[in-house]
Amino acid sequence: MPDLDPALTDELTETALALADAARPETLRWFRSDALSADNKEEAGFDPVTQADRDAEAAMRRVLAERRPSDAILGEEYGHSSGSTCLTWVLDPVDGTRAFLAGAPTWGVLIAVGDAAGPSIGVIDQPYIGERFVGAGGRAWSVGPQGQRALATRAPRPLAEATLLTTFPEVGEPDERAAFQAVARQARLTRYGLDCYAYALVAAGQVDLVIEAGLQAYDIQGPMAVVQAAGGIVSDWRGNPAHEGGRVIAAANARIHAEALALLRDVQ
């Protein structure tokens, strides 16, 4: 995670929280609404986008235009906007649009800011629950129904005692699915369908692993910054940087990361 000047970290953290504040009402206007509908971005499958996605990203971009107009932006819905600083804001206005459409509160607003080396600050915000997870300046915390709490990932324990999460049972391509199942067979408990909230649970010390494939930068950079600030490790399946997406593993600690990675890294 790239280091930033403390004063700049404070400014960027305040901006990230302002982005989350701006996105919340835009998503809640549509969540569980009879007026909610979706367009499909994928001819051969179902990759939904809703007006909530568009409205929330537009609201966040307006905040950045006021507060940080010289920074670049990468957003899922409106693409890349160049900047004159080394910083890029990475935005996913509704991560988990399928959950959003189903009325399940496991979707979230994802925000990150960093440079080419990866994110320095990240936010996972769940507007309906009113729960926000933040990683910045080497520390992580949540704010929600139980107040503000420091976040810390779980202490080491064997994979045989671990809880593993992923979004889709059909993880990635067939070879990726086989690698995931090799880990799942050894884990004590495997659960599906939590989208970005799974990474928040790693940061909060509730679960040990999230393993996914086919991610984009905007899917992982916000969660990555939160998990790392809480003491976890996020990498690709070979232990390399994961901030550009692809095959990703988020682990509570180095021991469980190494044990899972040994089962994943042979995938071509």
Side-chain angles (χ1 to χ4, degrees):
M1 183 182 300
D3 291 328
L4 297 174
D5 173 83
L8 179 58
T9 295
D10 290 345
E11 179 186 344
L12 295 175
T13 302
E14 289 178 6
T15 300
L17 298 178
L19 296 181
D21 288 342
R24 270 194 179 190
E26 302 299 335
T27 58
L28 291 176
R29 255 183 334 117
W30 294 99
F31 186 55
R32 297 184 180 174
S33 165
D34 291 341
L36 179 65
S37 62
D39 298 323
N40 187 10
K41 298 189 287 186
E42 185 177 316
E43 281 188 23
F46 183 52
D47 184 11
V49 59
T50 72
Q51 196 59 43
D53 297 79
R54 301 184 184 103
D55 290 351
E57 185 170 323
M60 290 190 284
R61 284 176 177 266
R62 287 193 294 271
V63 173
L64 289 173
E66 294 175 4
R67 289 179 174 243
R68 301 284 306 179
S70 297
D71 295 341
I73 304 172
L74 173 63
E76 180 174 12
E77 305 310 329
Y78 295 110
H80 183 263
S81 302
S82 60
S84 58
T85 72
C86 66
L87 296 174
T88 298
W89 292 87
V90 182
L91 311 175
D92 191 342
V94 179
D95 181 84
T97 303
R98 294 171 179 83
F100 192 94
L101 288 169
T106 55
W107 55 276
V109 178
L110 303 184
I111 299 158
V113 61
D115 59 18
S120 296
I121 294 166
V123 176
I124 305 168
D125 193 60
Q126 211 311 303
Y128 188 75
I129 297 174
E131 196 169 23
R132 181 173 295 173
F133 303 82
V134 185
R139 65 188 188 95
W141 67 94
S142 66
V143 182
Q146 295 175 316
Q148 181 165 326
R149 295 183 168 192
L151 298 177
T153 56
R154 267 183 172 171
R157 57 182 182 167
L159 180 58
E161 299 175 11
T163 298
L164 165 65
L165 303 181
T166 196
T167 297
F168 303 110
E170 61 279 13
V171 177
E173 299 299 322
D175 57 339
E176 294 169 330
R177 195 170 313 141
F180 172 84
Q181 289 298 333
V183 181
R185 280 193 297 271
Q186 295 198 26
R188 183 175 65 178
L189 175 65
T190 302
R191 301 292 292 169
Y192 301 95
L194 290 180
D195 299 292
C196 62
Y197 200 75
Y199 296 92
L201 293 176
V202 173
Q206 299 299 304
V207 303
D208 304 273
L209 291 165
V210 178
I211 298 174
E212 298 194 286
L215 300 188
Q216 301 296 323
Y218 45 73
D219 295 316
I220 191 57
Q221 289 206 18
M224 177 180 184
V226 176
V227 170
Q228 291 179 156
I233 298 174
V234 181
S235 75
D236 72 7
W237 289 12
R238 296 187 177 182
N240 298 315
H243 59 280
E244 294 183 356
R247 301 166 176 169
V248 172
I249 174 172
N253 53 72
R255 175 178 169 180
I256 198 77
H257 179 258
E259 194 171 352
L261 211 61
L263 298 170
L264 294 172
R265 58 166 37 116
D266 290 337
V267 179
Q268 300 300 311

